[in-house]
Amino acid sequence: MISLTERLSRIVGDAFEAEGLDRALGAVRVSDRPDLAPFQCNGALAAAKAAKKNPRQLADAIKARLDGDAAFEEVTLAGPGFLNLTPTVAFVEELASELKADEQQGCFRVEKAEKVVLDYGGPNVAKPLHVGHLRSAIIGEALKRIMRRAGDDALGDIHLGDWGLQMGQLIAELRRRMPDLPYFDENKTDGFPEESPVTVEELAEIYPAASAACKADPERMAEAQAATAELQAGRPGYRALWQHFVNVSREALERDYGALGVSFELWRGEASVHDLIEPMVAELKERGLLEESDGAQVVFVAREDDKKGIPPLLVVKSNGSVGYGSTDLATLVQRKQDGFERAIYVVDKRQSEHFVQVFRAAVKMGLFEEDQLEHAAFGTMNGKDGKPFKTREGGVLKLSDLIAMVTEKAEERLRENSGDGADDPSRADNARMVGIAALKFADLSNPRTTDYVFDIDRFVAFEGKTGPYLLYAAVRMRSVLRKAGVPFDEAMTGTFCLKEQAEVDLATSLLGYGDAHRSAYEKRMPHILCEHAFQTAQAFSKFYANCRIADEQDPDIRRSRLALVAVTLRQIEDILGQLGIQIPQEM
Ligand code: ARG
């Protein structure tokens, strides 16, 4: 269905056109002075300028036309020619009925679906997930779901860091510890054991030890580098061992991401593009795109109008090895081969120069058009000291510890809220959901590009713009229907007759869903959807406080109000689904 603002824009656009003006200037949007009117149109000023007319007179003429339209209760003028618009209750009712009947619930749908890959993982094999990976996962998962909801064929790729020096460090360290393992027998080329020689917990211990040894001792570093080179050249025992490392890490990663409600359709990694690099370098050379610079081979990507100089993309280092830039460029070769029409990288904004380099090189190679490659950059989650979040001891907090921390806080809140000391068996489950919701909503409700401060007490609060507040509203909507003894489907059959202002306001808020979803989609900004959900939940709270629902005496009004609850619940569920937030049974 077309949104309420779009409907109003058409009517106001007609009036502009009838006055001989550009109809696009009749665009209506939600008012930033809701105390005056719920909607506004500021186009008369620009139209007057273009037509060299007096803006006030022009706005008057438009108002005269709108006064005759059945959609408007009131049209007033403010300032030099702003139009304040209040639709009639009947018009809101009509659109709310359309919303109720709409299979797509009024959300935004793309005209032409695209096959999109979103890159929002980037964890490194053998290293535990930490909070640095948190924002990428939470925002990426939400963007994927927002895009799918709009109709795109969007897939998440974890893009494992599984091919760097850290793999050689692990192999070299393990060889020192267990030299008799068959993987280290140079003459053996197949028939390696199915079982991994190490668990993921052991890997988590081996990696820091290996890394520290390499830092302290050049001989150990040389060993690790040699092992990396042999692995990459395809030594069978090393490849088999590498596969074990990846497999056991994957199990742990699936568990950690799963706890966050984040999943990936593609489990590729840097290693998966290894064989694409050589032909890619050959092609770059052949097309004259590769140039020599200080012994390295680079692609120049700087442009004249760059405000800040962009260094060339390093493809082959002077020692012959390839790095992060070449891997990401080769990954775009792979993504092109896989038929993706768009790639979105949900990565820390501190990597923005890297993506400018990679994207420009890919455009030069003719792989993609510039507007098909996006870096959906995000800011950092900081501690109260304004620096990237660390534990009290100054270390990086493991994701599993973070989850335990928010779950515990949520449990405290739930216990306070229910007032009794008795231990409810489902409380642990609910606390986990509320804790994760608090964490995710706090992250998603900030504009993606800004930094924010980790403040667990605020995140978990039941009041304010928080995940728990939204969950609480949804749980209440379910309980209203349950206590009224009216199942959801039956509630949806009610016809709207809106009596109180709080009902009209809630319906109007619900009708803003399509615009919010569209804008979140187009800008790749989940916080726009969060903001809409929060405002709708607030409108619901007012409605709940001001209007009788189940115990309303007039049967038509009762049915109308139950329908309003049902449509609100359906919309909040749809939005929380896109944000990747689960609703608990009770709170
Ligand atoms: N593995 C990298 C890291 O941990 C992040 C990778 C981001 N994605 C990408 N395609 N470059 O820092």
Side-chain angles (χ1 to χ4, degrees), residues 119-124 127 130 133 136 158-162 270 324 328 331 335 345-347 351 354-355:
D119 187 310
Y120 55 87
N124 301 310
K127 304 188 199 171
H130 58 74
H133 295 107
S136 179
I158 190 164
H159 196 70
L160 286 176
D162 59 358
E270 296 175 352
Y324 194 45
D328 264 331
T331 306
R335 288 173 176 169
Y345 293 79
V346 187
V347 179
Q351 290 197 33
H354 166 76
F355 286 107

PDB file of all heavy atoms in Angstrom, residues 119-124 127 130 133 136 158-162 270 324 328 331 335 345-347 351 354-355, ligand 1:
ATOM      1  N   ASP A 119      28.626  -8.337   4.175  1.00  0.00           N
ATOM      2  CA  ASP A 119      29.845  -8.835   4.809  1.00  0.00           C
ATOM      3  C   ASP A 119      29.874  -8.246   6.223  1.00  0.00           C
ATOM      4  O   ASP A 119      30.152  -7.067   6.397  1.00  0.00           O
ATOM      5  CB  ASP A 119      31.013  -8.324   3.936  1.00  0.00           C
ATOM      6  CG  ASP A 119      32.372  -8.864   4.301  1.00  0.00           C
ATOM      7  OD1 ASP A 119      32.723  -8.801   5.489  1.00  0.00           O
ATOM      8  OD2 ASP A 119      33.109  -9.308   3.390  1.00  0.00           O
ATOM      9  N   TYR A 120      29.462  -9.040   7.218  1.00  0.00           N
ATOM     10  CA  TYR A 120      29.371  -8.480   8.580  1.00  0.00           C
ATOM     11  C   TYR A 120      29.936  -9.411   9.644  1.00  0.00           C
ATOM     12  O   TYR A 120      29.436  -9.435  10.777  1.00  0.00           O
ATOM     13  CB  TYR A 120      27.935  -8.079   8.920  1.00  0.00           C
ATOM     14  CG  TYR A 120      26.889  -9.161   8.778  1.00  0.00           C
ATOM     15  CD1 TYR A 120      26.607 -10.030   9.811  1.00  0.00           C
ATOM     16  CD2 TYR A 120      26.173  -9.283   7.601  1.00  0.00           C
ATOM     17  CE1 TYR A 120      25.632 -11.012   9.680  1.00  0.00           C
ATOM     18  CE2 TYR A 120      25.200 -10.262   7.463  1.00  0.00           C
ATOM     19  CZ  TYR A 120      24.941 -11.119   8.505  1.00  0.00           C
ATOM     20  OH  TYR A 120      23.984 -12.079   8.375  1.00  0.00           O
ATOM     21  N   GLY A 121      30.957 -10.172   9.264  1.00  0.00           N
ATOM     22  CA  GLY A 121      31.564 -11.085  10.237  1.00  0.00           C
ATOM     23  C   GLY A 121      32.994 -10.640  10.499  1.00  0.00           C
ATOM     24  O   GLY A 121      33.258  -9.808  11.349  1.00  0.00           O
ATOM     25  N   GLY A 122      33.895 -11.242   9.730  1.00  0.00           N
ATOM     26  CA  GLY A 122      35.297 -10.884   9.860  1.00  0.00           C
ATOM     27  C   GLY A 122      35.983 -11.387  11.103  1.00  0.00           C
ATOM     28  O   GLY A 122      37.028 -10.863  11.488  1.00  0.00           O
ATOM     29  N   PRO A 123      35.445 -12.430  11.790  1.00  0.00           N
ATOM     30  CA  PRO A 123      36.182 -12.932  12.953  1.00  0.00           C
ATOM     31  C   PRO A 123      37.401 -13.713  12.471  1.00  0.00           C
ATOM     32  O   PRO A 123      37.411 -14.220  11.344  1.00  0.00           O
ATOM     33  CB  PRO A 123      35.190 -13.872  13.624  1.00  0.00           C
ATOM     34  CG  PRO A 123      34.377 -14.408  12.504  1.00  0.00           C
ATOM     35  CD  PRO A 123      34.256 -13.268  11.519  1.00  0.00           C
ATOM     36  N   ASN A 124      38.401 -13.783  13.316  1.00  0.00           N
ATOM     37  CA  ASN A 124      39.610 -14.477  12.926  1.00  0.00           C
ATOM     38  C   ASN A 124      39.665 -15.841  13.593  1.00  0.00           C
ATOM     39  O   ASN A 124      39.422 -15.960  14.793  1.00  0.00           O
ATOM     40  CB  ASN A 124      40.818 -13.622  13.287  1.00  0.00           C
ATOM     41  CG  ASN A 124      40.736 -12.274  12.592  1.00  0.00           C
ATOM     42  OD1 ASN A 124      40.519 -12.200  11.390  1.00  0.00           O
ATOM     43  ND2 ASN A 124      40.861 -11.201  13.359  1.00  0.00           N
ATOM     44  N   LYS A 127      40.901 -17.002  17.287  1.00  0.00           N
ATOM     45  CA  LYS A 127      40.808 -15.925  18.272  1.00  0.00           C
ATOM     46  C   LYS A 127      39.350 -15.827  18.702  1.00  0.00           C
ATOM     47  O   LYS A 127      38.458 -15.877  17.861  1.00  0.00           O
ATOM     48  CB  LYS A 127      41.226 -14.583  17.664  1.00  0.00           C
ATOM     49  CG  LYS A 127      42.623 -14.586  17.062  1.00  0.00           C
ATOM     50  CD  LYS A 127      43.004 -13.175  16.677  1.00  0.00           C
ATOM     51  CE  LYS A 127      44.144 -13.160  15.685  1.00  0.00           C
ATOM     52  NZ  LYS A 127      44.404 -11.826  15.144  1.00  0.00           N
ATOM     53  N   HIS A 130      35.201 -10.937  20.113  1.00  0.00           N
ATOM     54  CA  HIS A 130      35.165  -9.909  21.147  1.00  0.00           C
ATOM     55  C   HIS A 130      34.201  -8.797  20.748  1.00  0.00           C
ATOM     56  O   HIS A 130      33.596  -8.861  19.676  1.00  0.00           O
ATOM     57  CB  HIS A 130      36.571  -9.371  21.416  1.00  0.00           C
ATOM     58  CG  HIS A 130      37.227  -8.809  20.203  1.00  0.00           C
ATOM     59  ND1 HIS A 130      36.856  -7.609  19.665  1.00  0.00           N
ATOM     60  CD2 HIS A 130      38.210  -9.295  19.413  1.00  0.00           C
ATOM     61  CE1 HIS A 130      37.596  -7.365  18.608  1.00  0.00           C
ATOM     62  NE2 HIS A 130      38.420  -8.373  18.422  1.00  0.00           N
ATOM     63  N   HIS A 133      33.652  -7.201  17.293  1.00  0.00           N
ATOM     64  CA  HIS A 133      32.881  -7.852  16.234  1.00  0.00           C
ATOM     65  C   HIS A 133      31.375  -7.697  16.450  1.00  0.00           C
ATOM     66  O   HIS A 133      30.587  -8.084  15.596  1.00  0.00           O
ATOM     67  CB  HIS A 133      33.226  -9.343  16.176  1.00  0.00           C
ATOM     68  CG  HIS A 133      34.648  -9.606  15.781  1.00  0.00           C
ATOM     69  ND1 HIS A 133      35.604 -10.044  16.678  1.00  0.00           N
ATOM     70  CD2 HIS A 133      35.283  -9.467  14.599  1.00  0.00           C
ATOM     71  CE1 HIS A 133      36.757 -10.172  16.045  1.00  0.00           C
ATOM     72  NE2 HIS A 133      36.599  -9.835  14.791  1.00  0.00           N
ATOM     73  N   SER A 136      29.386  -5.010  14.112  1.00  0.00           N
ATOM     74  CA  SER A 136      29.313  -5.521  12.750  1.00  0.00           C
ATOM     75  C   SER A 136      28.196  -6.556  12.632  1.00  0.00           C
ATOM     76  O   SER A 136      27.346  -6.493  11.732  1.00  0.00           O
ATOM     77  CB  SER A 136      30.661  -6.129  12.383  1.00  0.00           C
ATOM     78  OG  SER A 136      30.636  -6.648  11.091  1.00  0.00           O
ATOM     79  N   ILE A 158      30.124 -14.572   6.352  1.00  0.00           N
ATOM     80  CA  ILE A 158      30.919 -14.337   7.557  1.00  0.00           C
ATOM     81  C   ILE A 158      32.333 -13.838   7.238  1.00  0.00           C
ATOM     82  O   ILE A 158      32.960 -13.169   8.030  1.00  0.00           O
ATOM     83  CB  ILE A 158      30.961 -15.592   8.459  1.00  0.00           C
ATOM     84  CG1 ILE A 158      31.581 -15.254   9.818  1.00  0.00           C
ATOM     85  CG2 ILE A 158      31.713 -16.724   7.787  1.00  0.00           C
ATOM     86  CD1 ILE A 158      31.337 -16.270  10.906  1.00  0.00           C
ATOM     87  N   HIS A 159      32.826 -14.165   6.061  1.00  0.00           N
ATOM     88  CA  HIS A 159      34.162 -13.728   5.638  1.00  0.00           C
ATOM     89  C   HIS A 159      35.207 -13.910   6.750  1.00  0.00           C
ATOM     90  O   HIS A 159      35.801 -12.944   7.261  1.00  0.00           O
ATOM     91  CB  HIS A 159      34.135 -12.281   5.147  1.00  0.00           C
ATOM     92  CG  HIS A 159      35.364 -11.926   4.352  1.00  0.00           C
ATOM     93  ND1 HIS A 159      35.620 -12.424   3.096  1.00  0.00           N
ATOM     94  CD2 HIS A 159      36.434 -11.149   4.655  1.00  0.00           C
ATOM     95  CE1 HIS A 159      36.772 -11.961   2.663  1.00  0.00           C
ATOM     96  NE2 HIS A 159      37.302 -11.192   3.596  1.00  0.00           N
ATOM     97  N   LEU A 160      35.432 -15.161   7.082  1.00  0.00           N
ATOM     98  CA  LEU A 160      36.398 -15.513   8.133  1.00  0.00           C
ATOM     99  C   LEU A 160      37.813 -15.022   7.829  1.00  0.00           C
ATOM    100  O   LEU A 160      38.248 -15.076   6.680  1.00  0.00           O
ATOM    101  CB  LEU A 160      36.505 -17.041   8.223  1.00  0.00           C
ATOM    102  CG  LEU A 160      35.393 -17.847   8.860  1.00  0.00           C
ATOM    103  CD1 LEU A 160      35.717 -19.329   8.718  1.00  0.00           C
ATOM    104  CD2 LEU A 160      35.271 -17.471  10.323  1.00  0.00           C
ATOM    105  N   GLY A 161      38.493 -14.582   8.872  1.00  0.00           N
ATOM    106  CA  GLY A 161      39.921 -14.293   8.745  1.00  0.00           C
ATOM    107  C   GLY A 161      40.660 -15.605   8.983  1.00  0.00           C
ATOM    108  O   GLY A 161      41.010 -15.921  10.110  1.00  0.00           O
ATOM    109  N   ASP A 162      40.830 -16.382   7.908  1.00  0.00           N
ATOM    110  CA  ASP A 162      41.326 -17.743   8.070  1.00  0.00           C
ATOM    111  C   ASP A 162      42.574 -18.019   7.229  1.00  0.00           C
ATOM    112  O   ASP A 162      42.865 -19.166   6.898  1.00  0.00           O
ATOM    113  CB  ASP A 162      40.230 -18.751   7.698  1.00  0.00           C
ATOM    114  CG  ASP A 162      39.760 -18.577   6.260  1.00  0.00           C
ATOM    115  OD1 ASP A 162      40.260 -17.659   5.569  1.00  0.00           O
ATOM    116  OD2 ASP A 162      38.886 -19.339   5.822  1.00  0.00           O
ATOM    117  N   GLU A 270      38.779 -15.742   3.834  1.00  0.00           N
ATOM    118  CA  GLU A 270      39.884 -15.248   3.005  1.00  0.00           C
ATOM    119  C   GLU A 270      40.520 -16.396   2.224  1.00  0.00           C
ATOM    120  O   GLU A 270      40.919 -16.228   1.079  1.00  0.00           O
ATOM    121  CB  GLU A 270      40.903 -14.543   3.898  1.00  0.00           C
ATOM    122  CG  GLU A 270      40.322 -13.291   4.565  1.00  0.00           C
ATOM    123  CD  GLU A 270      41.278 -12.627   5.552  1.00  0.00           C
ATOM    124  OE1 GLU A 270      42.336 -13.205   5.846  1.00  0.00           O
ATOM    125  OE2 GLU A 270      40.949 -11.529   6.021  1.00  0.00           O
ATOM    126  N   TYR A 324      45.789  -7.889   2.854  1.00  0.00           N
ATOM    127  CA  TYR A 324      44.368  -7.595   3.071  1.00  0.00           C
ATOM    128  C   TYR A 324      43.687  -7.016   1.821  1.00  0.00           C
ATOM    129  O   TYR A 324      42.575  -7.424   1.461  1.00  0.00           O
ATOM    130  CB  TYR A 324      44.304  -6.609   4.241  1.00  0.00           C
ATOM    131  CG  TYR A 324      42.954  -6.389   4.871  1.00  0.00           C
ATOM    132  CD1 TYR A 324      42.111  -7.459   5.161  1.00  0.00           C
ATOM    133  CD2 TYR A 324      42.546  -5.099   5.224  1.00  0.00           C
ATOM    134  CE1 TYR A 324      40.882  -7.237   5.780  1.00  0.00           C
ATOM    135  CE2 TYR A 324      41.330  -4.876   5.840  1.00  0.00           C
ATOM    136  CZ  TYR A 324      40.495  -5.942   6.118  1.00  0.00           C
ATOM    137  OH  TYR A 324      39.295  -5.719   6.733  1.00  0.00           O
ATOM    138  N   ASP A 328      40.629  -8.755  -0.331  1.00  0.00           N
ATOM    139  CA  ASP A 328      39.301  -8.162  -0.499  1.00  0.00           C
ATOM    140  C   ASP A 328      38.973  -7.926  -1.972  1.00  0.00           C
ATOM    141  O   ASP A 328      37.814  -8.069  -2.376  1.00  0.00           O
ATOM    142  CB  ASP A 328      39.179  -6.860   0.316  1.00  0.00           C
ATOM    143  CG  ASP A 328      38.520  -7.108   1.686  1.00  0.00           C
ATOM    144  OD1 ASP A 328      37.708  -8.050   1.781  1.00  0.00           O
ATOM    145  OD2 ASP A 328      38.822  -6.375   2.635  1.00  0.00           O
ATOM    146  N   THR A 331      38.007 -11.181  -3.366  1.00  0.00           N
ATOM    147  CA  THR A 331      36.675 -11.553  -2.872  1.00  0.00           C
ATOM    148  C   THR A 331      35.595 -10.911  -3.741  1.00  0.00           C
ATOM    149  O   THR A 331      34.537 -11.497  -3.972  1.00  0.00           O
ATOM    150  CB  THR A 331      36.513 -11.126  -1.397  1.00  0.00           C
ATOM    151  OG1 THR A 331      37.594 -11.684  -0.646  1.00  0.00           O
ATOM    152  CG2 THR A 331      35.205 -11.623  -0.812  1.00  0.00           C
ATOM    153  N   ARG A 335      32.635 -12.646  -5.661  1.00  0.00           N
ATOM    154  CA  ARG A 335      31.241 -12.219  -5.482  1.00  0.00           C
ATOM    155  C   ARG A 335      30.593 -11.904  -6.827  1.00  0.00           C
ATOM    156  O   ARG A 335      29.399 -12.144  -7.018  1.00  0.00           O
ATOM    157  CB  ARG A 335      31.176 -11.050  -4.498  1.00  0.00           C
ATOM    158  CG  ARG A 335      31.461 -11.542  -3.091  1.00  0.00           C
ATOM    159  CD  ARG A 335      31.589 -10.499  -2.012  1.00  0.00           C
ATOM    160  NE  ARG A 335      31.754 -11.205  -0.735  1.00  0.00           N
ATOM    161  CZ  ARG A 335      32.091 -10.652   0.414  1.00  0.00           C
ATOM    162  NH1 ARG A 335      32.327  -9.356   0.482  1.00  0.00           N
ATOM    163  NH2 ARG A 335      32.208 -11.394   1.500  1.00  0.00           N
ATOM    164  N   TYR A 345      29.569  -3.801   2.946  1.00  0.00           N
ATOM    165  CA  TYR A 345      30.530  -4.148   3.990  1.00  0.00           C
ATOM    166  C   TYR A 345      30.183  -3.419   5.271  1.00  0.00           C
ATOM    167  O   TYR A 345      30.243  -2.189   5.322  1.00  0.00           O
ATOM    168  CB  TYR A 345      31.950  -3.763   3.538  1.00  0.00           C
ATOM    169  CG  TYR A 345      32.420  -4.602   2.381  1.00  0.00           C
ATOM    170  CD1 TYR A 345      31.993  -4.322   1.081  1.00  0.00           C
ATOM    171  CD2 TYR A 345      33.272  -5.681   2.578  1.00  0.00           C
ATOM    172  CE1 TYR A 345      32.397  -5.123   0.021  1.00  0.00           C
ATOM    173  CE2 TYR A 345      33.694  -6.475   1.515  1.00  0.00           C
ATOM    174  CZ  TYR A 345      33.240  -6.193   0.252  1.00  0.00           C
ATOM    175  OH  TYR A 345      33.636  -6.982  -0.805  1.00  0.00           O
ATOM    176  N   VAL A 346      29.802  -4.178   6.282  1.00  0.00           N
ATOM    177  CA  VAL A 346      29.452  -3.577   7.569  1.00  0.00           C
ATOM    178  C   VAL A 346      30.698  -3.686   8.442  1.00  0.00           C
ATOM    179  O   VAL A 346      30.909  -4.676   9.143  1.00  0.00           O
ATOM    180  CB  VAL A 346      28.235  -4.280   8.199  1.00  0.00           C
ATOM    181  CG1 VAL A 346      27.781  -3.528   9.440  1.00  0.00           C
ATOM    182  CG2 VAL A 346      27.104  -4.398   7.191  1.00  0.00           C
ATOM    183  N   VAL A 347      31.532  -2.689   8.331  1.00  0.00           N
ATOM    184  CA  VAL A 347      32.853  -2.723   8.969  1.00  0.00           C
ATOM    185  C   VAL A 347      33.124  -1.356   9.616  1.00  0.00           C
ATOM    186  O   VAL A 347      32.673  -0.321   9.114  1.00  0.00           O
ATOM    187  CB  VAL A 347      33.958  -3.067   7.928  1.00  0.00           C
ATOM    188  CG1 VAL A 347      35.338  -3.094   8.573  1.00  0.00           C
ATOM    189  CG2 VAL A 347      33.679  -4.393   7.222  1.00  0.00           C
ATOM    190  N   GLN A 351      38.163   1.714   8.886  1.00  0.00           N
ATOM    191  CA  GLN A 351      38.684   1.032   7.688  1.00  0.00           C
ATOM    192  C   GLN A 351      38.186   1.678   6.397  1.00  0.00           C
ATOM    193  O   GLN A 351      38.276   1.073   5.330  1.00  0.00           O
ATOM    194  CB  GLN A 351      38.280  -0.442   7.717  1.00  0.00           C
ATOM    195  CG  GLN A 351      39.008  -1.240   8.779  1.00  0.00           C
ATOM    196  CD  GLN A 351      38.920  -2.743   8.523  1.00  0.00           C
ATOM    197  OE1 GLN A 351      38.878  -3.202   7.396  1.00  0.00           O
ATOM    198  NE2 GLN A 351      38.886  -3.509   9.600  1.00  0.00           N
ATOM    199  N   HIS A 354      40.557   1.875   3.325  1.00  0.00           N
ATOM    200  CA  HIS A 354      40.769   0.558   2.720  1.00  0.00           C
ATOM    201  C   HIS A 354      39.660   0.240   1.706  1.00  0.00           C
ATOM    202  O   HIS A 354      39.919  -0.223   0.600  1.00  0.00           O
ATOM    203  CB  HIS A 354      40.822  -0.501   3.830  1.00  0.00           C
ATOM    204  CG  HIS A 354      40.693  -1.914   3.351  1.00  0.00           C
ATOM    205  ND1 HIS A 354      41.726  -2.589   2.741  1.00  0.00           N
ATOM    206  CD2 HIS A 354      39.644  -2.775   3.374  1.00  0.00           C
ATOM    207  CE1 HIS A 354      41.318  -3.820   2.426  1.00  0.00           C
ATOM    208  NE2 HIS A 354      40.060  -3.956   2.805  1.00  0.00           N
ATOM    209  N   PHE A 355      38.403   0.521   2.098  1.00  0.00           N
ATOM    210  CA  PHE A 355      37.303   0.185   1.192  1.00  0.00           C
ATOM    211  C   PHE A 355      37.245   1.119  -0.010  1.00  0.00           C
ATOM    212  O   PHE A 355      36.887   0.679  -1.100  1.00  0.00           O
ATOM    213  CB  PHE A 355      35.979   0.102   1.951  1.00  0.00           C
ATOM    214  CG  PHE A 355      35.908  -1.148   2.789  1.00  0.00           C
ATOM    215  CD1 PHE A 355      36.019  -1.090   4.165  1.00  0.00           C
ATOM    216  CD2 PHE A 355      35.818  -2.390   2.181  1.00  0.00           C
ATOM    217  CE1 PHE A 355      36.007  -2.254   4.931  1.00  0.00           C
ATOM    218  CE2 PHE A 355      35.808  -3.558   2.930  1.00  0.00           C
ATOM    219  CZ  PHE A 355      35.906  -3.490   4.307  1.00  0.00           C
TER     220      PHE A 355
HETATM  221  N1  ARG B   1      39.034  -9.879   9.740  1.00  0.00           N
HETATM  222  C1  ARG B   1      39.053  -8.458   9.841  1.00  0.00           C
HETATM  223  C2  ARG B   1      39.352  -8.051  11.295  1.00  0.00           C
HETATM  224  O1  ARG B   1      39.131  -8.777  12.213  1.00  0.00           O
HETATM  225  C3  ARG B   1      37.750  -7.792   9.416  1.00  0.00           C
HETATM  226  C4  ARG B   1      37.249  -8.120   8.030  1.00  0.00           C
HETATM  227  C5  ARG B   1      36.185  -7.191   7.537  1.00  0.00           C
HETATM  228  N2  ARG B   1      35.654  -7.591   6.245  1.00  0.00           N
HETATM  229  C6  ARG B   1      36.289  -7.445   5.115  1.00  0.00           C
HETATM  230  N3  ARG B   1      35.769  -7.923   4.011  1.00  0.00           N
HETATM  231  N4  ARG B   1      37.428  -6.804   5.018  1.00  0.00           N
HETATM  232  O2  ARG B   1      39.794  -6.968  11.526  1.00  0.00           O
END
